[in-house]
Amino acid sequence: MQKIIVPVITPFDTSGKVDTEKLKKHVSNLLEKGVDAIFLAGTTGLGPMLSFREKKEMLDALCGVTQKIIFQIGELNLENVLTLAKEAKDYSIIGVASYPPYYFPNLPERWVLSYYEKIYAAYEHPIYVYNYPLATGFNVTPSVLKQLGENVVKGIKNTMNDLAQSLEYKYLLPKLEVYTGSDTLIVSSFASALDGVVSGAGNYVPHLLVKIRELLKEHKTQDALKVQSLVTKLTQLSKKYGSLSANYVLTEELMGYDVGVPREPIFYLDEQQRFSLKSEIRELIRENELAQSALFR
Ligand code: FW2
């Protein structure tokens, strides 16, 4: 069965410290709702602003709850990345992942290949690649992945709306796990040859993602599209307020518990913005009956 993986938000307290208790509670709830695995320290989890020690602290905390974790260890300090890769060997998690080195334009392909080969050598198991060209500036194309090969790469999370590229990975490397990282392509991912989704919206509507998968299995495509449409609208709403911060409010509102706050420079929404976002969320949910029954069952 195709997987629902959630790039979990990182709860911080108001002093900027990671709140591991809130993280554990949130992850337990996600798993209970039918989520298959957790992507730790991804984009939604504000991975690029976490220190490598914070990432390790979160891994330690979460391992008491689940081992179904893909641990995102990438950053620009390669020594830190390789330290985490070596330390991660002691855990029975699903694996480690990394985005390519980012920010610097026009990185030669061979440097990116060397980056992943070094992580593989340190971890001593096949790794996951996180492809998000809009954010990193580098597209880990199917041909780059093919050069790394299935011995080095176990899977890829492709955060692009280009479904053709996701399918091309699968065609070139049939054993590879391929996930889309796009909240708007959940139906397409489940209804295709891909292995599932890594969806930020899974933080606040995990039950809707499970519902989409169930509806498609029952061949109720139109209903699945209706639920997808609501998920898409919620993510658009999140973007309107600044999704990296709005995700905390959406999760609190729709999951019903406190998940802390983001850390600056991802600024928490002020009271007025939170109030207005919550009203818009309620309005959207009211408009969609099918989703409502999935949400409150
Ligand atoms: C992550 C994800 C989801 C993202 C997407 C970016 O790590 O947060 O790809 O929400 O807008 O996989």
Side-chain angles (χ1 to χ4, degrees):
M1 192 165 57
Q2 283 145 320
K3 286 197 180 124
I4 297 170
I5 304 176
V6 173
V8 67
I9 55 178
T10 300
F12 294 94
D13 64 22
T14 47
S15 71
K17 200 175 166 309
V18 176
D19 189 330
T20 49
E21 287 310 309
K22 288 197 171 116
L23 176 71
K24 287 195 285 185
K25 179 177 171 187
H26 183 38
V27 166
S28 301
N29 278 304
L30 292 175
L31 297 170
E32 206 176 283
K33 296 271 187 279
V35 163
D36 300 294
I38 299 299
F39 193 80
L40 185 61
T43 307
T44 310
L46 309 182
M49 48 183 271
L50 293 168
S51 72
F52 81 111
R53 281 291 150 224
E54 283 174 324
K55 289 182 199 163
K56 176 73 183 341
E57 183 197 347
M58 289 166 70
L59 179 68
D60 279 328
L62 268 199
C63 275
V65 177
T66 183
Q67 304 206 315
K68 295 176 188 163
I69 300 170
I70 299 177
F71 182 34
Q72 197 294 119
I73 60 174
E75 59 159 287
L76 290 179
N77 182 320
L78 186 55
E79 198 184 322
N80 289 348
V81 178
L82 299 181
T83 302
L84 276 187
K86 283 182 197 140
E87 291 179 357
K89 277 191 293 189
D90 297 337
Y91 298 75
S92 309
I93 56 174
I94 298 172
V96 299
S98 177
Y99 18 71
Y102 53 90
Y103 180 75
F104 302 109
N106 306 316
L107 284 189
E109 204 171 279
R110 64 180 179 283
W111 296 0
V112 174
L113 293 171
S114 299
Y115 174 82
Y116 284 116
E117 277 156 1
K118 278 179 183 280
I119 297 178
Y120 166 69
Y123 188 54
E124 296 175 0
H125 302 285
I127 59 174
Y128 288 83
V129 169
Y130 178 7
N131 189 40
Y132 190 5
L134 183 69
T136 62
F138 188 94
N139 186 4
V140 186
T141 59
S143 92
V144 173
L145 224 58
K146 181 131 174 78
Q147 290 174 68
L148 287 168
E150 282 165 336
N151 290 337
V152 173
V153 186
K154 186 170 176 193
I156 182 156
K157 169 172 73 140
N158 191 30
T159 297
M160 289 177 89
N161 278 337
D162 185 351
L163 200 56
Q165 177 160 323
S166 295
L167 293 171
E168 183 73 5
Y169 292 121
K170 197 75 189 172
Y171 172 65
L172 285 180
L173 299 154
K175 283 197 285 182
L176 197 77
E177 294 166 31
V178 181
Y179 302 98
T180 51
S182 170
D183 295 312
T184 54
L185 288 178
I186 293 162
V187 166
S188 329
S189 313
F190 289 153
S192 72
L194 303 183
D195 297 281
V197 291
V198 183
S199 163
N203 279 285
Y204 44 86
V205 281
H207 13 29
L208 294 191
L209 307 194
V210 171
K211 189 76 190 168
I212 291 175
R213 192 169 58 183
E214 281 171 12
L215 288 168
L216 287 171
K217 215 169 151 209
E218 295 162 17
H219 305 289
K220 295 182 179 160
T221 313
Q222 204 53 34
D223 283 344
L225 286 169
K226 193 171 170 191
V227 183
Q228 169 74 75
S229 166
L230 175 65
V231 174
T232 301
K233 284 184 191 137
L234 286 167
T235 57
Q236 283 162 349
L237 184 59
S238 166
K239 280 198 186 111
K240 177 173 148 190
Y241 288 82
S243 57
L244 290 175
S245 184
N247 288 337
Y248 291 77
V249 180
L250 277 143
T251 304
E252 184 189 316
E253 175 66 18
L254 293 167
M255 296 294 279
Y257 48 81
D258 176 16
V259 281
V261 294
R263 181 161 70 192
E264 297 182 357
I266 303 302
F267 295 95
Y268 195 40
L269 305 187
D270 66 28
E271 211 179 323
Q272 176 56 40
Q273 290 169 320
R274 294 203 297 274
F275 179 80
S276 145
L277 171 55
K278 286 182 180 184
S279 312
E280 290 204 64
I281 298 169
R282 285 174 202 152
E283 188 55 39
L284 267 182
I285 301 295
R286 255 196 304 277
E287 280 167 12
N288 192 313
E289 271 171 44
L290 181 68
Q292 234 175 330
S293 60
L295 267 177
F296 301 115
R297 71 184 171 182

